[in-house]
Amino acid sequence: DARVTQTPRHKVTEMGQEVTMRCQPILGHNTVFWYRQTMMQGLELLAYFRNRAPLDDSGMPKDRFSAEMPDATLATLKIQPSEPRDSAVYFCASGWDSNQPQHFGDGTRLSIL
Amino acid sequence: GENVEQHPSTLSVQEGDSAVIKCTYSDSASNYFPWYKQELGKRPQLIIDIRSNVGEKKDQRIAVTLNKTAKHFSLHITETQPEDSAVYFCAGYGGATNKLIFGTGTLLAVQP
């Protein structure tokens, strides 16, 4: 059963530190999405890639967040510097397009102290 | 852009009863509407989806209906079981923005 793999599953760090989250999409999927989930805001789309090219990052705070896809098997989301308000669960999902089924990873639960 | 509203925010039913969750969307060009189930501490999982050229779709105890004129779609769960307890999210694909926009979720509690 193919699955999206995210690492780490949990991350606790102090504000100001750099945080890197990684995602391995399902083999063959050409679209990768990064979502943030909080109680207050629900599921928010931060950025997504198709065929490794960034298509939309309008949901991401540009000054501190960056998303990349160095190859077809790895997507990264970085926060530098991190702030307490960044505490959330970050999900990666992959699929064939925005209007096709998206398969979510288990998420990274991030706590910024 | 697309806006998706979901009701109710919480729903409690007795085991064996039916549950209905409703969503409305704003973008008349939207053409794809998935539903996700998220158990506590777990990832969202796709349970059913529907496209705008179909009015209803069923999968065992789960069904989704779509009314394009009124711009709303609903999830129906029949013969509910305790394992159906979870948060359910609807979503709509906004063609203009090329994004999937999620509703705010419905916490379903099935009482044994």
Side-chain angles (χ1 to χ4, degrees):
Chain A
D1 186 24
R3 300 185 72 165
V4 175
T5 303
Q6 288 187 248
T7 57
R9 291 294 313 279
H10 304 273
K11 177 75 174 179
V12 180
T13 191
E14 294 184 346
M15 65 178 294
Q17 297 298 306
E18 178 178 298
V19 173
T20 299
M21 291 169 273
R22 294 177 173 81
C23 169
Q24 180 177 353
I26 291 173
L27 187 65
H29 282 176
N30 68 347
T31 309
V32 176
F33 308 86
W34 283 106
Y35 289 93
R36 177 170 61 185
Q37 186 174 39
T38 61
M39 288 295 293
M40 295 301 294
Q41 299 297 326
L43 266 169
E44 303 174 273
L45 179 67
L46 297 176
Y48 79 98
F49 297 78
R50 183 174 303 127
N51 297 322
R52 296 177 54 201
L55 288 192
D56 191 321
D57 61 1
S58 60
M60 216 162 59
K62 302 290 192 304
D63 56 337
R64 300 183 299 108
F65 284 60
S66 62
E68 296 179 346
M69 201 159 176
D71 63 60
T73 64
L74 177 64
T76 62
L77 180 66
K78 290 185 180 181
I79 309 174
Q80 170 62 21
S82 58
E83 298 180 2
R85 59 180 167 152
D86 300 329
S87 298
V89 180
Y90 290 80
F91 286 104
C92 174
S94 72
W96 285 106
D97 203 340
S98 295
N99 64 346
Q100 299 293 328
Q102 296 182 20
H103 301 266
F104 283 74
D106 289 329
T108 293
R109 186 173 297 275
L110 178 64
S111 295
I112 308 297
L113 306 176
Chain B
E2 175 73 292
N3 184 45
V4 176
E5 295 190 357
Q6 184 171 349
H7 300 280
S9 56
T10 60
L11 179 60
S12 181
V13 299
Q14 290 295 125
E15 183 176 359
D17 287 350
S18 295
V20 181
I21 302 170
K22 299 180 179 180
C23 289
T24 60
Y25 60 97
S26 60
D27 185 352
S28 57
S30 293
N31 60 13
Y32 176 61
F33 306 94
W35 285 88
Y36 285 83
K37 174 185 179 182
Q38 186 177 26
E39 298 175 8
L40 185 63
K42 301 288 183 66
R43 60 192 170 97
Q45 289 190 283
L46 180 71
I47 55 172
I48 195 167
D49 56 11
I50 192 167
R51 298 196 180 271
S52 57
N53 58 347
V54 175
E56 184 176 5
K57 185 176 179 180
K58 286 185 179 180
D59 183 2
Q60 300 183 346
R61 297 185 297 108
I62 293 173
V64 57
T65 58
L66 171 64
N67 183 325
K68 285 194 300 180
T69 303
K71 290 192 283 190
H72 67 69
F73 56 111
S74 301
L75 178 70
H76 305 253
I77 306 175
T78 58
E79 301 172 25
T80 53
Q81 302 167 3
E83 51 264 39
D84 294 330
S85 296
V87 177
Y88 291 81
F89 292 94
C90 64
Y93 169 72
T97 60
N98 202 28
K99 294 179 184 178
L100 199 59
I101 304 299
F102 284 83
T104 50
T106 296
L107 175 60
L108 173 65
V110 180
Q111 309 296 334

